[in-house]
Structures are given as structure tokens and as C-alpha cells.
């Protein structure tokens, strides 16, 4: 009800399917008489007329006399109240769905291996050790790495009877000197390596994430612990290189 208490509530007016159908018909054709509206319903003119009266009380329909005939026209202005109400909840759910997607994405990308290192070297020095080919060779393996998004590269270690010694990769993200990400593919397993660098009061904090291991690998006893052990050793080598 409005402030005068005489007009019908717009929500009540559109709650009925038949009245919503009348509004749609009047939206398609600007001006219609009762008999042309009635042919679209399985009810008589009296019933249609009653529905039109309810719509008129809500201000959604206007009428005018043309000779002995009454013609009806849509007035969509009161529908803005419904639009505003729906828009509020649309924004409400958009925000929550966005948060849910963010949460699900975070769960999907949860690190399989996560390590933290602290170095006394500057963030620029640590970044150089992560991205320079010659520096990488000192603490990981020989390589043709370049910190350029889209660049494909290889790390080449000494092969053995179980492994060919090759790691293929592609650079995914470069945010000098704070973030570096690339794929790490070897022995049929493709994961993503992400290094995150932040300045600290006594040097540089380096965070390592490795994500994307297959469920089969995760289920293999000791597989992730083996990866964690290897990257811990690499981190120790990196520290030695930085101290030189």
C-alpha cells in the first residue's frame, strides 16, 4: 500500500500469473481493448476485467474511453520499485558468489608443497638468483631460463635409470621483484612453481609453492614429502649461492 492507503501494492498486483501475462501483452501492443486481451486467456471478460482493475489500482495500467470502448495501456513506472528491490538482492548474491568462487579457487589451488626461506640478501639479489640462467645453474641445474611470460625452457640434470634428467617449463607470471611463477613438468607430472618475495627487516623472505600434483601422485606415500625434501635442499643451495 502507498502512503494514501488506497492503491494496491505493486508486488501483490504482479504476484498473479494472469496479471503478469496482461502486462506482457500491453508491453507488446501500446493500446488494447478488453476483448482483444480476453482472447489470450481461458477465462471470460469479467475475470480479465477484474485483473485489469487490480493492475489499475497498483498504477500499472491506465485506461481511456474511445467511444463506447475502454482501451488499456501499460504504465511501467511502478515496476521500478520491484527492479530496485531485485537489484539490491542481485548485488547481494553477486558479491557472495564472487566470494564463494574466490574460496573455491583458493581451495583448488591450495599448495601441495609450501616452504619459507629467510635470506639476509636484498630482494634484488634473491630475484636475480631466481631468474638469471647462470645463477640458477649454481643452485638448481643447467637451464635456458628467461624471466619472460610465455618463454619455454628446460632444466637439465644428470639422467639416471629412472629419469631422463629433463624438466620442461613455461613462464606464467613475472612481477619483478615480488613474484615469479612457471610450470614444472617432468616424468609425466606437470605442476606450477610460484616464488613470492617480500622485503623483511633483516633481508628477504622467500615463499615457495608447488601446486597441481595429480591425485595419483598425492596418494603415493612419500611423493609430496620427496618433493618437499628436494626443494628444501635447493633452498639450502640457494642460500650458499647468495652468501658467496
Amino acid at each position: 500500500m502507498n502512503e494514501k492507503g488506497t492503491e494496491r501494492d505493486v508486488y501483490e498486483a504482479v504476484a498473479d500469473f494472469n496479471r503478469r501475462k496482461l502486462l506482457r501483452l500491453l508491453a507488446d501492443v501500446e493500446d488494447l481493448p478488453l476483448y482483444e486481451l480476453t482472447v489470450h486467456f481461458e477465462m471470460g471478460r469479467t475475470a480479465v476485467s477484474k485483473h485489469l482493475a487490480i493492475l489499475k489500482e497498483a498504477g500499472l495500467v491506465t485506461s481511456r474511453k474511445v467511444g463506447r470502448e475502454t482501451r488499456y495501456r501499460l504504465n511501467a513506472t511502478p515496476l521500478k520499485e520491484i527492479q530496485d528491490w531485485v537489484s539490491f538482492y542481485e548485488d547481494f548474491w553477486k558479491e557472495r558468489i564472487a566470494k564463494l568462487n574466490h574460496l573455491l579457487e583458493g581451495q583448488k589451488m591450495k599448495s601441495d608443497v609450501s616452504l619459507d626461506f629467510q635470506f639476509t640478501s636484498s630482494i634484488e639479489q634473491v630475484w636475480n638468483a631466481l631468474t638469471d640462467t647462470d645463477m640458477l645453474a649454481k643452485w638448481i641445474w643447467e637451464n635456458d631460463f628467461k624471466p619472460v611470460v610465455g618463454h619455454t625452457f628446460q632444466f637439465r640434470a644428470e639422467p639416471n635409470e629412472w629419469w631422463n634428467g629433463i624438466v620442461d617449463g613455461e613462464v606464467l607470471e613475472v612481477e619483478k621483484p615480488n613474484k615469479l611463477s612457471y610450470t614444472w613438468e617432468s616424468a609425466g607430472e606437470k605442476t606450477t612453481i610460484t616464488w613470492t618475495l617480500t622485503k623483511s627487516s633483516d633481508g628477504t623472505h622467500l615463499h615457495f609453492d608447488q601446486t597441481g600434483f595429480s591425485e595419483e601422485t598425492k596418494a603415493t606415500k612419500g611423493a609430496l614429502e620427496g618433493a618437499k625434501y628436494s626443494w628444501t635442499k635447493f633452498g639450502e643451495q640457494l642460500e650458499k649461492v647468495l652468501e658467496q
Side-chain angles (χ1 to χ4, degrees):
M1 304 288 285
N2 71 353
E3 293 180 358
K4 296 178 181 179
T6 58
E7 293 185 1
R8 192 177 294 269
D9 184 273
V10 66
Y11 297 97
E12 179 186 352
V14 300
D16 183 87
F17 168 78
N18 292 307
R19 293 196 284 274
R20 294 197 299 272
K21 186 175 179 179
L22 281 168
L23 292 177
R24 179 57 186 270
L25 290 169
L26 292 171
D28 292 337
V29 180
E30 185 173 306
D31 209 19
L32 285 173
L34 179 59
Y35 76 88
E36 288 191 27
L37 291 167
T38 303
V39 296
H40 296 280
F41 297 88
E42 295 180 358
M43 55 183 165
R45 293 178 63 173
T46 301
V48 173
S49 182
K50 287 181 178 179
H51 282 301
L52 286 168
I54 292 172
L55 293 172
K56 285 182 66 177
E57 290 174 11
L60 290 165
V61 167
T62 61
S63 64
R64 65 188 181 94
K65 283 285 188 178
V66 180
R68 298 176 60 184
E69 184 179 77
T70 301
R71 301 185 71 88
Y72 296 89
R73 177 176 295 185
L74 172 68
N75 176 35
T77 302
L79 291 174
K80 188 177 185 305
E81 180 182 346
I82 296 177
Q83 181 186 26
D84 292 342
W85 184 80
V86 171
S87 294
F88 171 80
Y89 287 100
E90 183 180 15
D91 293 340
F92 175 88
W93 283 112
K94 279 182 179 179
E95 179 182 349
R96 276 148 184 79
I97 289 172
K99 289 181 179 179
L100 175 61
N101 288 336
H102 180 74
L103 176 62
L104 293 174
E105 188 67 23
Q107 290 178 340
K108 183 175 70 174
M109 295 303 295
K110 185 177 180 181
S111 296
D112 297 317
V113 178
S114 182
L115 295 168
D116 288 280
F117 305 95
Q118 182 65 41
F119 305 114
T120 56
S121 303
S122 69
I123 193 170
E124 290 78 16
Q125 290 172 318
V126 177
W127 176 265
N128 186 56
L130 293 175
T131 57
D132 180 77
T133 299
D134 294 333
M135 292 291 285
L136 283 166
K138 292 179 180 180
W139 64 278
I140 300 185
W141 299 306
E142 293 295 325
N143 64 93
D144 55 353
F145 184 88
K146 292 180 182 179
V148 178
V149 173
H151 174 68
T152 56
F153 60 90
Q154 284 188 339
F155 278 102
R156 296 176 291 275
E158 190 69 31
N160 55 47
E161 59 181 305
W162 302 285
W163 180 47
N164 65 3
I166 301 296
V167 175
D168 292 300
E170 178 181 352
V171 180
L172 302 176
E173 191 173 0
V174 178
E175 295 180 11
K176 184 180 180 179
N178 300 111
K179 190 175 183 181
L180 176 68
S181 181
Y182 47 82
T183 58
W184 182 274
E185 186 172 5
S186 181
E189 189 80 35
K190 185 176 183 179
T191 60
T192 298
I193 303 296
T194 302
W195 300 97
T196 305
L197 299 79
T198 54
K199 290 182 179 180
S200 62
S201 58
D202 55 350
T204 303
H205 176 262
L206 178 63
H207 180 74
F208 168 87
D209 284 316
Q210 187 170 16
T211 60
F213 281 99
S214 66
E215 293 302 319
E216 182 180 355
T217 298
K218 291 179 185 180
T220 303
K221 186 176 181 180
L224 296 186
E225 285 302 315
K228 185 175 182 179
Y229 174 82
S230 296
W231 285 106
T232 298
K233 289 298 181 181
F234 282 140
E236 291 173 357
Q237 284 296 113
L238 173 58
E239 184 173 23
K240 293 177 181 178
V241 169
L242 290 170
E243 288 175 351
Q244 293 177 359

